[in-house]
């Protein structure tokens, strides 16, 4: 991959732009589960697809190059990537983690790792003093999501990474919302970058995948061992789907980000919307930090209505966004964190983090933003009408 080219060009022109044997302008899908060995004393590069597969290698090399890492790893899901990475830890270790992480990560930390004697402390990762105070002698990992899911809180990756190194810790960063198109944590000092490639990287709601990238040789060897041992690898066809999605990542994210800003601005000015969370606004907490460490605000925003009843009314009237789990697709996806992405989080913990019953998360797709705004106007007008009717009836 030629580093002199821009990111946009490198998505298309890299080592895997065509097959060296046939000239095919698409990475071959090597569907084989096993590989013939002509000489068992001198085995070939591949022996069994859990341990290595040519199509998976192509994806892993591509994402490593795009993130500025030395080695990439492809997993069966984003949570498989995260869970396998946590297997770097041992009994008695401790993790400091963003308090408002994705619900699946919360569940893994709180309900699974804890059973294996790995302790944790949830902190407001935007507060460096709080992070530093939470570090213990047995702390091994500082785990960041930035922007966080779903409140888009911003953590200073470089500052936390420096803090981690000073305390002999590793820094893991979930980069799902930004992708390497907008943010490259390894260049800011992080040790490991994680993705749910199901989202923006693949981008078409047709594959579940996870990725991890590091630039540390020792960490690479350990992750390679764990990937093979745990076995939650991404299949060849799914690897091909992610590679195909990557080719349009830059243009998709640019358009979706532009549209997200327009939709967020509309929502911010609507009397029915109590609050909008979007790092593209200068008033958003941490906006200056985000502007320093990333190349854009991204295509995800959250907004808060009064309560669950308003969410229910709103969702019944809108037509364009898919109302579903997930994000980062060509179609806009509206999600209800309280009962979707963060359903695994106990209500008390969820509310403590500001994930209220009126919060909605929107991943803006490739529709015309004016059509989305018109659709939302209909939904919010219905919410207002229902509220007025309730007021009249109660009066």
């Amino acid at each position: 991959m030629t580093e002199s080219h821009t990111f946009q060009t490198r998505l298309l022109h890299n080592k895997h732009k065509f097959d060296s044997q046939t000239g095919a302008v698409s990475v071959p899908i090597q569907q084989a589960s096993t590989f013939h060995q002509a000489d068992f004393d001198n085995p070939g590069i591949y022996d069994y697809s859990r341990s290595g597969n040519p199509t998976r290698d192509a994806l892993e090399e591509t994402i490593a190059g795009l993130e500025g890492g030395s080695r990439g790893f492809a997993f069966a899901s984003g949570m498989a990537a995260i869970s396998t990475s946590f297997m770097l830890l041992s009994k008695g270790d401790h993790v400091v983690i963003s308090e408002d992480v994705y619900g699946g990560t919360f569940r893994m930390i709180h309900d699974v790792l804890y059973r294996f004697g790995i302790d944790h402390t949830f902190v407001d990762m935007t507060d460096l003093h709080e992070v530093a105070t939470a570090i213990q002698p047995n702390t091994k990992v500082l785990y960041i999501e930035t922007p966080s899911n779903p409140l888009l809180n911003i953590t200073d990756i470089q500052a936390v990474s420096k803090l981690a190194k000073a305390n002999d810790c590793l820094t893991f960063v979930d980069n799902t919302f930004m992708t390497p198109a907008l943010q490259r944590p390894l260049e800011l000092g992080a040790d490991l970058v994680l993705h749910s490639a199901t989202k923006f990287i693949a981008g078409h709601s047709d594959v579940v995948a996870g990725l991890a990238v590091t630039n540390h040789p020792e960490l690479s060897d350990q992750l390679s061992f764990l990937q093979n041992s745990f076995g939650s690898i991404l299949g060849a066809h799914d690897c091909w789907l992610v590679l195909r999605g990557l080719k349009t990542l830059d243009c998709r994210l640019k358009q979706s980000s532009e549209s997200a800003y327009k939709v967020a601005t509309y929502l911010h000015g609507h009397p029915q919307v109590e609050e909008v969370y979007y790092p593209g606004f200068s008033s958003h907490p941490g906006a200056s930090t985000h502007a320093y460490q990333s190349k854009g605000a991204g295509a995800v925003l959250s907004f808060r209505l009064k309560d669950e009843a308003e969410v229910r009314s709103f969702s019944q009237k809108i037509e364009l966004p898919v109302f579903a789990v997930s994000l980062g697709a060509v179609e806009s996806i509206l999600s209800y964190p309280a009962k979707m992405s963060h359903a695994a989080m106990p209500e008390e913990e969820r509310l403590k983090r500001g994930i209220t019953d009126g919060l909605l998360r929107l991943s803006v797709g490739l529709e015309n933003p004016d059509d989305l705004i018109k659709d939302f106007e209909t939904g919010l007008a219905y919410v207002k009408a229902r509220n007025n009717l309730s007021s009249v009836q109660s009066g």
Side-chain angles (χ1 to χ4, degrees):
M1 190 174 291
T2 307
E3 294 300 327
S4 61
H5 292 146
T6 63
F7 181 87
Q8 182 179 358
T9 298
R10 287 189 289 126
L11 286 170
L12 301 167
H13 298 278
N14 53 59
K15 176 182 174 181
H16 302 286
K17 65 185 289 184
F18 60 82
D19 180 41
S20 59
Q21 293 186 6
T22 66
V25 189
S26 178
V27 171
I29 302 173
Q30 185 48 265
Q31 202 68 56
S33 62
T34 192
F35 300 82
H36 172 67
Q37 306 299 314
D39 180 355
F40 60 75
D41 288 321
N42 297 287
I45 298 173
Y46 302 103
D47 58 2
Y48 188 64
S49 272
R50 171 168 48 79
S51 305
N53 176 282
T55 313
R56 193 169 87 233
D57 281 358
L59 172 58
E60 292 177 338
E61 289 174 11
T62 300
I63 191 62
L66 294 173
E67 279 286 9
S70 58
R71 192 163 180 185
F73 302 88
F75 296 91
S77 68
M79 280 312 305
I82 291 168
S83 301
T84 304
S85 298
F86 277 134
M87 288 183 184
L88 290 162
L89 300 170
S90 302
K91 183 178 180 180
D93 288 347
H94 175 256
V95 179
V96 176
I97 183 167
S98 303
E99 63 183 359
D100 55 333
V101 290
Y102 167 59
T105 308
F106 175 92
R107 178 173 53 215
M108 183 65 194
I109 282 279
H110 189 268
D111 298 335
V112 179
L113 292 187
Y114 192 71
R115 292 195 290 110
F116 292 95
I118 298 170
D119 203 1
H120 61 271
T121 302
F122 287 105
V123 300
D124 176 1
M125 200 65 81
T126 68
D127 184 337
L128 273 179
H129 177 71
E130 188 171 333
V131 178
T133 303
I135 295 174
Q136 303 173 11
N138 61 333
T139 301
K140 300 299 181 185
V141 169
L142 305 187
Y143 187 99
I144 300 170
E145 260 187 26
T146 185
S148 68
N149 183 5
L151 295 176
L152 291 302
N153 288 320
I154 306 301
T155 296
D156 188 328
I157 298 172
Q158 189 171 61
V160 171
S161 297
K162 286 181 178 178
L163 190 60
K165 284 177 173 56
N167 289 274
D168 198 25
C169 301
L170 296 172
T171 305
F172 292 3
V173 180
D174 185 331
N175 201 31
T176 298
F177 277 22
M178 290 288 100
T179 81
L182 296 179
Q183 183 171 271
R184 287 191 276 282
L186 295 180
E187 296 175 0
L188 297 166
D191 300 293
L192 184 67
V193 177
L194 297 158
H195 293 279
S196 172
T198 309
K199 314 303 193 298
F200 288 106
I201 286 179
H204 291 77
S205 297
D206 56 7
V207 63
V208 175
L211 298 170
V213 181
T214 184
N215 51 14
H216 288 214
E218 184 181 349
L219 209 53
S220 293
D221 291 343
Q222 291 173 340
L223 277 172
S224 179
F225 173 81
L226 288 169
Q227 183 189 44
N228 187 41
S229 299
F230 189 51
S232 187
I233 49 92
L234 191 62
H237 186 260
D238 287 345
C239 287
W240 182 84
L241 285 170
V242 176
L243 282 164
R244 184 184 65 170
L246 264 172
K247 292 180 179 181
T248 58
L249 172 63
D250 193 73
C251 59
R252 284 188 287 106
L253 203 47
K254 278 181 179 175
Q255 181 174 328
S256 290
S257 297
E258 290 174 4
S259 296
Y261 179 79
K262 194 167 186 178
V263 172
T265 301
Y266 159 76
L267 291 170
H268 182 68
H270 199 287
Q272 213 64 45
V273 177
E274 295 188 350
E275 192 162 1
V276 177
Y277 306 86
Y278 182 60
F281 292 157
S282 59
S283 58
H284 184 81
S288 59
T289 298
H290 185 74
Y292 155 74
Q293 67 188 17
S294 71
K295 295 181 179 179
V300 179
L301 60 103
S302 292
F303 62 99
R304 182 158 48 86
L305 302 180
K306 186 174 69 175
D307 52 26
E308 182 179 337
E310 288 199 355
V311 168
R312 196 174 299 278
S313 297
F314 178 72
S315 63
Q316 287 172 349
K317 279 297 177 182
I318 57 170
E319 296 181 348
L320 289 182
V322 177
F323 193 62
V325 174
S326 200
L327 56 96
V330 290
E331 61 278 330
S332 291
I333 300 177
L334 188 67
S335 184
Y336 186 38
K339 294 191 175 180
M340 291 180 174
S341 62
H342 289 70
M345 190 176 284
E347 183 180 15
E348 181 182 354
E349 295 291 336
R350 180 170 54 77
L351 294 175
K352 189 191 305 182
R353 290 159 170 79
I355 306 171
T356 67
D357 291 338
L359 187 73
L360 285 161
R361 187 191 69 202
L362 175 67
S363 170
V364 179
L366 301 181
E367 304 91 347
N368 187 308
D370 293 333
D371 290 332
L372 285 171
I373 289 170
K374 189 182 301 182
D375 193 33
F376 280 22
E377 182 65 35
T378 300
L380 291 169
Y382 183 66
V383 170
K384 182 179 180 181
R386 289 290 298 267
N387 288 344
N388 290 341
L389 180 62
S390 297
S391 297
V392 170
Q393 289 176 341
S394 61

